[in-house]
Amino acid sequence: MKTKRILLGILLSIGVFATSCGSDDNEGETIIPIQGKYNLSQQGTIIDGKEVLTDAPQNAAGCNRDYLDLRLSNTAVIGDYSGSNCSLVETTGVYARSHNDLTITVGNVSSTSDIMNLTNKELKLKDKTTGVITVYTR
């Protein structure tokens, strides 16, 4: 009986030790895959410490919402609907993700944003240069 208690104590100690020593290499980093098609939803900035977001003015009235399509091949496709006939213009570039930074390059122009939120339903970016916050939804 005493042997069973000692063995049980050792097993419990190992279990507690193993769960307390878990690696947290992703601290502050979201691990949801970023690939997917996101519809442009809102845009804004931080004023007096609070996010102020409005419907994205780039979305033309009566048209589908503009979008950002991040593909597995690291290709970024930016879709822009405009004009009275809602014609679609797609611009293609590349993207790179490094921890919580997303850099999109189209031609010779690059922009880097902080990934503020990434879930299965939302991608929220904050441009590192301008501070503009852009919210995309799936």
Side-chain angles (χ1 to χ4, degrees):
M1 185 68 168
K2 188 174 182 178
T3 306
K4 286 184 181 180
R5 281 189 192 170
I6 292 172
L7 185 57
L8 182 60
I10 291 171
L11 289 175
L12 287 174
S13 297
I14 290 172
V16 169
F17 178 75
T19 57
S20 67
C21 291
S23 175
D24 196 6
D25 292 339
N26 294 323
E27 186 175 323
E29 178 182 347
T30 181
I31 55 175
I32 293 176
I34 198 164
Q35 293 83 13
K37 186 174 180 181
Y38 300 91
N39 294 309
L40 180 60
S41 179
Q42 294 180 311
Q43 203 165 38
T45 189
I46 296 177
I47 299 174
D48 294 328
K50 292 185 180 182
E51 283 184 20
V52 178
L53 301 172
T54 59
D55 289 337
Q58 299 90 324
N59 288 330
C63 298
N64 290 332
R65 292 188 287 169
D66 294 348
Y67 62 85
L68 173 63
D69 189 0
L70 302 174
R71 299 182 178 168
L72 285 173
S73 62
N74 286 53
T75 301
V77 178
I78 301 164
D80 179 25
Y81 292 95
S82 61
S84 59
N85 61 352
C86 297
S87 60
L88 173 63
V89 174
E90 288 187 329
T91 305
T92 302
V94 295
Y95 75 93
R97 179 181 181 186
S98 175
H99 302 289
N100 273 347
D101 288 345
L102 176 66
T103 301
I104 297 176
T105 304
V106 176
N108 294 330
V109 179
S110 292
S111 66
T112 301
S113 300
D114 288 321
I115 300 171
M116 297 177 69
N117 191 35
L118 175 59
T119 66
N120 290 327
K121 296 184 180 189
E122 178 183 88
L123 171 63
K124 185 187 291 187
L125 303 172
K126 181 178 179 186
D127 188 282
K128 286 187 177 257
T129 304
T130 64
V132 171
I133 298 171
T134 306
V135 179
Y136 296 92
T137 56
R138 288 192 202 213

